[in-house]
């Protein structure tokens, strides 16, 4: 069965809902109030058909998220961030919404057996609504950068003591 596996690599940007091709002037029509934002964008189902076209005939999928600390559903918070911190948190949360909603749309259309999250930063970021620096509750193994460098498996295994 393993020899029949297909490896498909994509970027989370591909999971963003694109402008609906039926409305060539979608942004102009939205700005004029003629159509609603959700009509001017492709549906989540259409995004799955576009972004995962080569996988749609497969019976099941295993998703491996790299840099998975950017894939989460933000939690409402009273945390008050300002300036660059607020801007960075907003950008992180926007990207996280694209990513998590894309995977949810995929799981509604296909049998997603499991999602494995990989990250060198397995903790919540500032502005996510969770305690900053708190390790993800689903973390199975925490192998630090220092451990990797000492084992010679990091980017730069020349480590000085």
């Amino acid at each position: 069965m393993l020899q029949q596996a297909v490896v498909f690599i994509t970027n989370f940007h591909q999971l963003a809902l694109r402008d609906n091709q039926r409305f060539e002037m979608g942004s102009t029509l939205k700005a004029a109030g003629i159509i609603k934002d959700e009509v001017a964008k492709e549906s989540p189902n259409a995004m799955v058909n576009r972004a995962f076209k080569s996988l749609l005939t497969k019976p099941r999928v295993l998703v491996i998220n790299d840099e998975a600390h950017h894939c989460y559903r933000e939690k409402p918070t009273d945390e008050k961030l300002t300036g660059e911190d607020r801007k960075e948190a907003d950008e992180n949360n926007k990207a996280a919404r694209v990513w998590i909603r894309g995977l949810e749309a995929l799981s509604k259309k296909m049998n997603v057996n499991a999602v494995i999250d990989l990250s060198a930063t397995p903790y919540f970021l500032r502005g996510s609504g969770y305690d900053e620096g708190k390790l993800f509750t689903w973390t199975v193994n925490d192998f630090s950068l220092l451990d990797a460098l000492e084992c010679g498996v990091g980017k730069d295994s020349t480590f000085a003591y």
Side-chain angles (χ1 to χ4, degrees):
M1 197 54 105
L2 185 58
Q3 294 173 352
Q4 297 175 15
V6 174
V7 176
F8 175 79
I9 299 171
T10 192
N11 187 296
F12 87 94
H13 293 94
Q14 295 299 316
L15 309 183
L17 301 182
R18 294 183 178 171
D19 286 337
N20 191 324
Q21 297 304 311
R22 293 181 299 164
F23 302 107
E24 202 164 306
M25 297 176 44
S27 58
T28 304
L29 295 172
K30 283 189 305 187
I34 296 171
I35 60 173
K36 294 181 180 178
D37 189 41
E38 59 270 10
V39 174
K41 295 282 185 191
E42 70 184 342
S43 69
N45 191 50
M47 177 278 299
V48 170
N49 290 339
R50 171 184 48 78
F52 298 104
K53 184 177 183 178
S54 63
L55 299 179
L56 296 178
T57 59
K58 304 300 176 195
R60 58 191 171 275
V61 174
L62 165 68
V63 174
I64 301 175
N65 287 328
D66 190 22
E67 296 296 323
H69 59 279
H70 292 292
C71 181
Y72 57 86
R73 180 167 313 289
E74 68 199 271
K75 181 173 138 182
T77 180
D78 293 333
E79 185 178 21
K80 304 294 184 221
L81 298 177
T82 59
E84 287 299 313
D85 288 340
R86 175 79 272 150
K87 182 179 177 185
E88 181 181 1
D90 289 346
E91 289 172 3
N92 286 339
N93 289 335
K94 182 179 179 183
R97 282 191 299 273
V98 167
W99 197 333
I100 196 75
R101 288 176 182 167
L103 293 179
E104 288 171 342
L106 176 65
S107 71
K108 287 179 182 173
K109 184 139 182 144
M110 298 186 68
N111 181 15
V112 175
N113 284 34
V115 177
I116 298 173
D117 287 343
L118 303 177
S119 177
T121 317
Y123 50 80
F124 291 106
L125 304 175
R126 180 183 311 148
S128 65
Y130 300 90
D131 293 335
E132 179 183 4
K134 182 178 179 185
L135 200 63
F136 295 141
T137 57
W138 57 91
T139 300
V140 175
N141 187 15
D142 182 20
F143 188 71
S144 73
L145 177 60
L146 182 59
D147 292 336
L149 292 172
E150 287 176 342
C151 291
V153 295
K155 279 186 177 180
D156 182 5
S157 58
T158 58
F159 186 80
Y161 289 93

